[in-house]
Every structure is written in structure tokens, then in C-alpha cells.
Amino acid sequence: MTATFPTTVTIGQLATTQPWSTAVFHRHRIDFCCGGARRLDEVCDEKGLQVADVLAEIAREAPAEADFVRWDEAPLNELIDHLQTFYHDRLWEELPRLTHLATKVASVHGGRDARLEALRDLVVDIETELSEHMRKEEQVLFPWIHSGRGASAHRPVQVMQHEHEEHGQKLQRLRELTGDFQLPIGACASWTALWHGLERLERELHDHIHLENNILFPRALASRPPAEPDAGVIDVRTIPPWERHPRIFQTFDQLSPGGHFTLVNDHDPRPLYSQFRMNRGPIFTWDYLEAGPEVWRVRIGRV
């Protein structure tokens, strides 16, 4: 499974279309997650590598059968599910374990190695920041994209990308404090487990951020929003006065996010607008389609 690429291909493009290339990038310490927009030839020049040699190495990594998932071709919802079940779920379990190990090793061996206390503090920071980051993705961004509205997620995506940069800096500091994860002679079992766990964390977090920065975010932002469901028209001129507001609010409450209906009246329904502000807060939209003098038409939507 080989392919020919121009030397100007980006690291992220290779990692996306040739998923096995990430093994090569890991070996050569090439940043393919936050640095995915950089060109292969530029990165090779910096690291003293030959582009042809790196491409040949990637070709040798190619599997005999197509057992790698092309996440740039899979449905977005499947990619989000994969991110949550393979990466997030593992992090929720692994981060407390690494923090416990880092605290234990620093407590027992901190007098022997001055790096361990700084490493403990760094691991605690990583757990805190990654946990908050994952909560924002799971509670805000992923549901946003799942709903088919990823094209409007520019602001939360920018926030996540900025935090990814910060995660990358902490991973670099992690590697510095561990001496490229080289264990000292006579390291105990806990120390060994910590080093191995941190090295695995670095590797998986690089893969994790790549899938979001280079695949999920660009695809979500480029997606077409679904057509907003139209709940029809409520012409209150034909409805008894005591039934109007209950029917309007019942219709609104049954709308899915992005849905809307059109209200028709023979006067400006400003009192109704005030009731919406009081009772439904920021989750409604109010747009005049026609403003008298004989007919008022208002498009009322749900955010």
C-alpha cells in the first residue's frame, strides 16, 4: 500500500491519509498533531532527515491489508464515538493512576532525584487541565457536532485548538523532566510503571489531538448545517384569546434545537416577546418577517 506525495505535503495530510505514518513520526519525534499544518520538507530539513527516506519508511509501515480506519472518510459521529470510547474513557481512568504514581515516586525518591517533585506537579496540572478539556468537549463541542451544527462551532474549536497547543507544551516538558523516558538504574516498580505510563500518555495524546485538529475540526467546520425543521404557522387571529399563549408556548417547547414556527397576528405581539424573555430566557429567537400595518409575522425559533 504505497503512494506518491509531493515533498510539499503537510505532516497532517500524511497522518490523515496514511494513518500508519504516525508510527514513523513518533520515532523521529515529528509533531503531527499541533504541527500538522507544517510541510514535510521543512520538518525534514530541521531534523536533518531526507524526505525520500521518511516517505520510504512510511511505505514500509503500510499494512498488507487495509486494517487502518480512514477517519477522514468515516462518518463524523463514528469519529466522535471513537474519540470518546478509545481516548477519553482511557484518560479518565489513566490520569488518576499516573497522578498517584507521580506523587508516590516523588514522596519516596524525591531526595534522590530533584526532578521528581517538579514532575509530580506537572502530572497534577496535566490531569486537571485534560479533565476540564474533556468535559468541555463531551458536554459542549461533541454534542454540537453530533447535532449536525459543526459548521457554526468556530469559537469552541478555536478554544480547543489553543488548549491543544498548551497540552503539547506540557508533553514537551514531560519529556524533558523524564530525560526522554530513560529510567535510572535501580528504578523501583512504581518508578518504572510511571515512566512507561507517561510515555504511553504522550503517544496516545499525540494521536488523539491529531484526530481532532487535522480531521474532526476541519470536517465539522466544513459540514453543511441541516435544514431547520419548520413547525408551521400559528395564525392567532383564528384562535380564541385564552388559547393563544398556551398553544404558542406548547409549540415552542416541542421544537428541537434549530426549529422554528411563524406567528401571524393583527397587531405587534410585543407583550408575547416580553413573556418569552421572562419564561424562556436565552433559548429563543425572535425575527420580524412582516411588521404591519395590517399583519405582523414573526419567526420564533429555538436555539
Side-chain angles (χ1 to χ4, degrees):
M1 191 181 300
T2 60
T4 301
F5 293 94
T7 58
T8 55
V9 67
T10 68
I11 301 299
Q13 288 169 337
L14 280 169
T16 297
T17 61
Q18 312 281 295
W20 49 89
S21 67
T22 60
V24 176
F25 298 149
H26 280 300
R27 279 199 294 272
H28 293 293
R29 305 271 305 280
I30 293 174
D31 180 4
F32 60 93
C33 49
C34 295
R38 300 195 63 197
R39 287 170 28 171
L40 176 64
D41 55 353
E42 295 173 345
V43 174
C44 286
D45 284 345
E46 285 183 4
K47 291 187 170 290
L49 301 170
Q50 296 297 315
V51 172
D53 292 343
V54 172
L55 289 175
E57 196 173 342
I58 291 172
R60 289 194 295 272
E61 288 286 341
E65 299 180 1
D67 57 354
F68 278 81
V69 177
R70 283 286 302 269
W71 289 112
D72 58 321
E73 298 175 347
L76 277 181
N77 287 346
E78 290 185 13
L79 173 54
I80 291 173
D81 291 344
H82 173 67
L83 287 165
Q84 290 195 249
T85 58
F86 188 84
Y87 292 103
H88 282 210
D89 288 355
R90 287 157 69 116
L91 282 170
W92 287 122
E93 180 178 344
E94 184 68 359
L95 289 171
R97 186 184 77 90
L98 292 174
T99 297
H100 171 74
L101 282 172
T103 302
K104 178 180 179 181
V105 171
S107 175
V108 175
H109 301 290
R112 170 185 169 188
D113 191 327
R115 300 173 301 170
L116 294 176
E117 290 188 359
L119 180 66
R120 175 202 58 206
D121 294 343
L122 178 61
V123 173
V124 169
D125 285 345
I126 289 174
E127 180 185 8
T128 299
E129 294 181 8
L130 276 176
S131 297
E132 180 61 25
H133 180 86
M134 291 190 294
R135 272 191 288 269
K136 285 186 281 192
E137 288 190 330
E138 293 174 6
Q139 296 174 11
V140 178
L141 183 56
F142 288 172
W144 196 327
I145 297 173
H146 257 308
S147 73
R149 303 185 185 281
S152 65
H154 292 276
R155 179 56 184 157
V157 163
Q158 288 175 349
V159 172
M160 294 300 101
Q161 289 174 323
H162 175 71
E163 292 182 1
H164 286 168
E165 293 282 352
E166 294 177 337
H167 300 333
Q169 293 168 9
K170 283 186 165 51
L171 289 179
Q172 180 60 37
R173 180 60 177 153
L174 196 67
R175 183 169 277 276
E176 292 170 359
L177 286 173
T178 59
D180 291 334
F181 305 109
Q182 296 299 310
L183 277 164
I185 296 173
C188 68
S190 294
W191 200 334
T192 301
L194 175 63
W195 252 232
H196 290 167
L198 292 175
E199 186 171 18
R200 184 172 61 250
L201 172 68
E202 180 199 54
R203 184 182 187 91
E204 292 188 355
L205 197 54
H206 281 157
D207 293 339
H208 179 178
I209 293 174
H210 154 65
L211 289 175
E212 293 186 355
N213 277 6
N214 298 324
I215 301 179
L216 176 65
F217 296 163
R219 289 186 60 195
L221 293 174
S223 62
R224 296 180 60 184
E228 295 181 347
D230 188 342
V233 175
I234 297 179
D235 188 341
V236 298
R237 298 171 300 180
T238 66
I239 302 173
W242 59 87
E243 293 183 9
R244 293 174 181 176
H245 284 194
R247 184 178 301 186
I248 289 167
F249 280 103
Q250 180 183 33
T251 301
F252 177 83
D253 290 338
Q254 292 174 347
L255 292 175
S256 58
H260 64 271
F261 64 92
T262 301
L263 175 73
V264 180
N265 205 350
D266 57 9
H267 62 271
D268 189 350
R270 293 298 296 181
L272 177 65
Y273 173 79
S274 298
Q275 288 193 29
F276 264 98
R277 286 192 63 182
M278 181 181 301
N279 298 318
R280 298 300 184 271
I283 68 169
F284 81 99
T285 60
W286 182 281
D287 299 295
Y288 282 98
L289 304 178
E290 186 175 351
E294 296 181 356
V295 175
W296 275 257
R297 297 171 61 246
V298 180
R299 185 175 184 268
I300 300 174
R302 182 167 190 146
V303 176

